[in-house]
Amino acid sequence: MALRDVIGQERAVHILRGCIARERVPHALLFAGDDGIGKKLTALNFAKALNCTGGQGPGARGQNETLFEVTDHRTLDPGPRTLHDSCDQCSSCLKIEKLFDPESLILSGEDEKSLKEKIYVSHPDVALITPYKDEIRIEVIRKLEEALTYKPFEGRYKIAIIDNADTMNNSASNAFLKTLESPPGQSILILISSRPDMLLPTIRSRCRRINFNPLPFHVMSALLREKSGKYDEGRSLLLSALSGGRPGCVLNEDLIAQRDRFFASLKRLSDSVDEEEKGDIDELLEWAQVWLRDLAVFKATGRADLLINSDREGEIKALVQGAALKGILKLAQEIYNIRVNTRFNLNEKLTRNYTGLLIRKRLGRLNAGK
Ligand SMILES: [Zn+2]
């Protein structure tokens, strides 16, 4: 695929193709936005477009000057579909394409293996870095720095894509900052993050930030039907709403089964303290927001057709019976605050118990259960 095939991120793609058209690509870019909405996909396709040697890619220019003057991305017309994009066929494009499925590649060398770092390389000038055990360590940043000191081997640019860049630990961040302060020529660093506020401000300020947004439900629903070939309209709309417009979340897992599991868990928390309860607290809190959204909507309107989880009407109706709208909204805010704070490694059990207590209190169920 190519940049032109990225669905639902037209604005970001437009800006990136504009950078190629202007031949002014920032040394450092920050792709910011929720997980599962196409940041990495766009980054890889951007890398393909930058180093493409066939078709109309910048690497093929020279005999084929088709640039036009551009002063503002809002007025930029990227022109024909293939202009300022990859050909998706040349050897450079095919090599980079392999990074779409990095796990299928072996790591770039025994050294990296022993360091337990993840640098994926399928093109000599393009590297994809991902965290190992939720962390990017200084060793991998040093490797990156070293790789960037060499001139591009066969592409036009040296490109490093750092996925979940906010997982760089302190020493890695500081080392990376030095690279950002004096980036080697022809190098392009693309940071990807769903939590850009966790990056050092000094890193953020040195990157050109491009925001990615969740997909509108109707766009995502059409995409799902096309990609999967198995969902009808109702189900694809439910999945779009459940995922909050994040196709990556649906294509990678069974979202409905996941929802059922977490909703059951929330229901148990609303009944009593469950000492045995386990599972990812972060995900639980994320699902709690979807759950509370429906509770609030049903309490306010009494309309099942406005629910995301319209197939769970009975349960939602029962839950809101003893609750006041004000309490549900307050709870939603409290859950949101807890979610923000779980980034600082709160004690999981305490957080779960506290969340349960808030749910019972705000939904008027303190005396229910035990
Ligand atoms: Zn190509």
Side-chain angles (χ1 to χ4, degrees):
M1 73 180 291
L3 276 175
R4 59 187 170 271
D5 304 314
V6 174
I7 293 177
Q9 300 299 347
E10 284 75 11
R11 185 180 166 275
V13 167
H14 198 74
I15 294 172
L16 294 170
R17 290 177 77 184
C19 290
I20 298 175
R22 277 194 299 267
E23 295 203 306
R24 267 209 228 145
V25 184
H27 273 298
L29 290 146
L30 168 60
F31 287 9
D34 288 345
D35 286 326
I37 56 175
K39 299 186 299 301
K40 190 163 74 181
L41 192 73
T42 305
L44 288 168
N45 280 304
F46 186 47
K48 278 168 84 173
L50 287 170
N51 272 345
C52 177
T53 56
Q56 308 256 20
R61 272 199 221 105
Q63 75 277 39
N64 185 19
E65 282 296 332
T66 44
L67 289 180
F68 44 87
E69 279 300 310
V70 182
T71 50
D72 181 342
H73 75 81
R74 280 165 296 189
T75 59
L76 170 70
D77 173 8
R81 272 171 53 79
T82 52
L83 198 57
H84 314 305
D85 203 343
S86 67
C87 74
D88 204 20
Q89 288 167 0
C90 68
S91 75
S92 170
C93 283
L94 294 177
K95 283 178 193 168
I96 300 171
E97 178 86 18
K98 290 188 183 145
L99 289 175
F100 283 78
D101 182 16
E103 294 295 337
S104 68
L105 295 165
I106 49 166
L107 294 174
S108 64
E110 290 305 316
D111 276 359
E112 279 78 10
K113 266 186 192 167
S114 62
L115 288 170
K116 299 225 184 304
E117 298 295 356
K118 296 200 166 190
I119 306 182
Y120 298 100
V121 178
S122 64
H123 178 295
D125 301 316
V126 181
L128 171 67
I129 292 169
T130 62
Y132 174 75
K133 291 193 177 167
D134 295 330
E135 191 174 57
I136 295 175
R137 300 190 309 182
I138 189 164
E139 292 86 342
V140 77
I141 299 300
R142 294 225 172 97
K143 287 267 165 201
L144 172 66
E145 267 170 41
E146 194 195 324
L148 290 176
T149 58
Y150 301 106
K151 281 197 159 39
F153 185 67
E154 59 173 66
R156 200 173 188 214
Y157 298 97
K158 280 268 192 209
I159 303 166
I161 299 168
I162 301 155
D163 199 12
N164 295 308
D166 50 87
T167 60
M168 279 190 279
N169 65 19
N170 270 343
S171 47
S173 295
N174 286 316
F176 186 72
L177 188 57
K178 292 215 175 66
T179 308
L180 272 184
E181 279 165 350
S182 51
Q186 292 165 292
S187 65
I188 294 170
L189 302 162
I190 305 174
L191 282 73
I192 295 177
S193 177
S194 59
R195 304 183 302 174
D197 48 323
M198 300 292 280
L199 286 161
L200 288 183
T202 38
I203 289 184
R204 274 202 311 270
S205 67
R206 283 178 171 79
C207 298
R208 164 82 192 270
R209 177 169 171 151
I210 297 183
N211 289 321
F212 285 69
N213 299 311
L215 274 61
F217 294 164
H218 67 279
V219 173
M220 177 167 158
S221 169
L223 174 70
L224 285 182
R225 286 203 301 282
E226 187 198 314
K227 291 264 177 221
S228 76
K230 64 180 179 184
Y231 301 127
D232 61 20
E233 192 169 359
R235 197 156 177 94
S236 63
L237 274 171
L238 172 64
L239 285 166
S240 304
L242 278 181
S243 70
R246 297 174 297 163
C249 303
V250 175
L251 297 170
N252 296 334
E253 51 210 317
D254 186 344
L255 210 57
I256 292 179
Q258 209 185 88
R259 175 202 67 176
D260 291 348
R261 206 167 63 243
F262 282 106
F263 274 25
S265 187
L266 287 163
K267 173 74 174 58
R268 283 195 298 277
L269 280 177
S270 75
D271 287 335
S272 64
V273 182
D274 188 346
E275 294 294 337
E276 296 307 307
E277 196 75 40
K278 282 199 178 66
D280 188 332
I281 185 76
D282 208 35
E283 271 186 284
L284 179 78
L285 295 170
E286 199 177 331
W287 280 105
Q289 290 187 300
V290 178
W291 189 65
L292 287 169
R293 181 262 178 212
D294 270 0
L295 295 190
V297 165
F298 196 80
K299 188 73 196 177
T301 66
R303 285 175 57 184
D305 60 315
L306 296 179
L307 298 177
I308 291 175
N309 304 281
S310 47
D311 54 335
R312 306 295 287 264
E313 182 191 347
E315 181 190 320
I316 290 164
K317 198 172 178 177
L319 277 164
V320 298
Q321 236 154 32
L325 181 60
K326 216 172 139 188
I328 299 173
L329 296 175
K330 189 160 172 65
L331 179 59
Q333 182 61 47
E334 287 164 337
I335 299 275
Y336 175 79
N337 292 342
I338 298 174
R339 265 194 88 189
V340 171
N341 284 314
T342 53
R343 292 175 186 178
F344 304 104
N345 294 322
L346 297 185
N347 176 302
E348 188 150 318
K349 192 170 176 191
L350 282 178
T351 308
R352 186 182 298 277
N353 287 344
Y354 178 60
T355 304
L357 181 69
L358 286 175
I359 290 175
R360 293 192 293 283
K361 188 170 162 190
R362 302 292 176 217
L363 297 186
R365 300 169 69 87
L366 259 188
N367 299 321
K370 285 180 202 169

